[in-house]
Amino acid sequence: MCETAVTVRKKIAVITGASSGMGREFVLALDKEQEFDELWLMARRRDRLEALASEARAPVRAIPLDLGEQTEIDKYKELLAAEKPDVRVLVNAAGFGKFKAFTDLPLEEQLAMIDLNDKALVSVTYLTLPYMRAGSCIYQLGSLSSFQPVPYINVYGASKAFVLSFSRALNKELQKQKRGIKVM
């Protein structure tokens, strides 16, 4: 008789921007309300991720990445391919805003906002979806600024309007595909 190997995939939650703010709060809430084999916490600062690990019930994998950089997103892609996890929850909380007049904020900072708030969010979502199944959910953090033009935070608001539109459309696509994955 032949024995077949059974591959057990870790049930995980992936939280970007986990070192502070809403990302950190999602880590604590998800860990309290659900059971995971592991929490994958992503942010730039390893020390904050490791400190947060001591507050979680589930085992934590601290993944220090700057998602504003394509090479760092590629590292996440490689990790997913190597681990092949069962991602039950994805929280895209990484992001930032700069509040100044458009002409007073350096172009590099404005483009960095777009790279993190939009490009990284799309990339992480795209890379993670193949590892998700029915019953999984994606939380895309937006802002009230996404609903109207707001002077002095115009690039930030526009980047969050993109998140809102993208997330609503993706939710409808996944419904029509009968994937059973919700995007909120």
Side-chain angles (χ1 to χ4, degrees):
M1 179 185 283
C2 295
E3 290 185 33
T4 51
V6 177
T7 303
V8 177
R9 296 171 56 206
K10 284 184 183 176
K11 178 182 164 186
I12 70 165
V14 175
I15 302 102
T16 71
S19 65
S20 64
M22 292 300 293
R24 184 179 189 285
E25 295 305 315
F26 262 97
V27 171
L28 298 173
L30 288 169
D31 184 54
K32 181 179 178 182
E33 296 171 8
Q34 296 183 39
E35 295 292 326
F36 295 99
D37 296 321
E38 199 167 57
L39 300 171
W40 287 13
L41 309 185
M42 281 189 265
R44 291 173 296 147
R45 297 175 291 251
R46 178 185 289 277
D47 59 329
R48 287 191 182 186
L49 296 175
E50 290 173 350
L52 183 53
S54 68
E55 297 181 48
R57 292 179 308 140
V60 167
R61 182 177 296 203
I63 306 169
L65 295 175
D66 181 350
L67 295 175
E69 302 293 330
Q70 184 60 48
T71 56
E72 301 285 281
I73 292 170
D74 292 342
K75 289 177 186 176
Y76 176 61
K77 179 182 179 180
E78 291 167 8
L79 180 60
L80 286 168
E83 296 286 327
K84 296 178 181 39
D86 175 14
V87 180
R88 304 305 291 148
V89 176
L90 168 62
V91 178
N92 273 310
F96 76 97
K98 294 283 183 153
F99 307 96
K100 279 188 173 181
F102 179 73
T103 55
D104 292 341
L105 191 62
L107 178 61
E108 298 78 31
E109 291 183 42
Q110 297 191 51
L111 296 177
M113 251 189 291
I114 295 166
D115 284 347
L116 185 59
N117 296 356
D118 298 332
K119 183 179 169 187
L121 179 135
V122 168
S123 297
V124 170
T125 303
Y126 183 87
L127 294 172
T128 307
L129 265 170
Y131 300 94
M132 301 181 88
R133 60 184 167 92
S136 297
C137 62
I138 301 171
Y139 297 95
Q140 310 280 44
L141 270 65
S143 169
L144 287 175
S145 299
S146 66
F147 293 99
Q148 63 187 6
V150 183
Y152 302 101
I153 58 170
N154 46 41
V155 171
Y156 173 79
S159 74
K160 293 303 183 173
F162 174 89
V163 171
L164 178 65
S165 182
F166 167 72
S167 300
R168 285 178 170 173
L170 180 60
N171 189 54
K172 290 294 182 190
E173 280 184 31
L174 294 173
Q175 282 177 358
K176 289 190 180 291
Q177 295 170 1
K178 299 186 185 327
R179 296 270 316 260
I181 299 170
K182 286 190 168 199
V183 181
M184 297 170 268

